[in-house]
Amino acid sequence: MANELIKEVVCPKCGETQEHKTFSQIYTAKNAVVKQKILKEEFFNWTCPKCGYFADMTYPCLFIDIKFKYALLFLPVGN
């Protein structure tokens, strides 16, 4: 994966602050685990390790699969 960014996330349930990794570009052919999470729609899932609160942490990113020669630009809309 490339372009790793670390952001602080505050859990809306318990207030715990923690670091969360995000990526602007993801090379899926290099990481089978990430590719499976994307296909299962689990890549953006986030669970607070302190209280178990679950959230969908979507953000814009580019998925690239060199092996199958495709790229997918993900741009979530709404709040």
Side-chain angles (χ1 to χ4, degrees), residues 25-60:
Q25 295 179 13
I26 301 159
Y27 294 90
T28 58
K30 295 180 181 179
N31 193 324
V33 173
V34 169
K35 186 172 184 175
Q36 287 304 309
K37 285 185 175 188
I38 292 166
L39 293 172
K40 292 179 180 181
E41 298 182 17
E42 298 173 349
F43 181 76
F44 295 107
N45 292 357
W46 176 80
T47 303
C48 176
K50 184 176 179 182
C51 72
Y53 177 84
F54 173 81
D56 186 16
M57 303 284 281
T58 57
Y59 55 87

Side-chain angles (χ1 to χ4, degrees), residues 6-76:
I6 305 293
K7 295 188 176 192
E8 283 194 357
V9 175
V10 178
C11 177
K13 184 175 180 183
C14 70
E16 180 77 9
T17 301
Q18 53 202 257
E19 293 183 344
H20 179 66
K21 289 183 186 179
T22 63
F23 306 89
S24 60
Q25 295 179 13
I26 301 159
Y27 294 90
T28 58
K30 295 180 181 179
N31 193 324
V33 173
V34 169
K35 186 172 184 175
Q36 287 304 309
K37 285 185 175 188
I38 292 166
L39 293 172
K40 292 179 180 181
E41 298 182 17
E42 298 173 349
F43 181 76
F44 295 107
N45 292 357
W46 176 80
T47 303
C48 176
K50 184 176 179 182
C51 72
Y53 177 84
F54 173 81
D56 186 16
M57 303 284 281
T58 57
Y59 55 87
C61 59
L62 178 63
F63 299 102
I64 302 167
D65 193 319
I66 296 170
K67 180 180 177 183
F68 292 103
K69 298 180 181 175
Y70 74 85
L72 173 68
L73 179 59
F74 182 75
L75 295 171

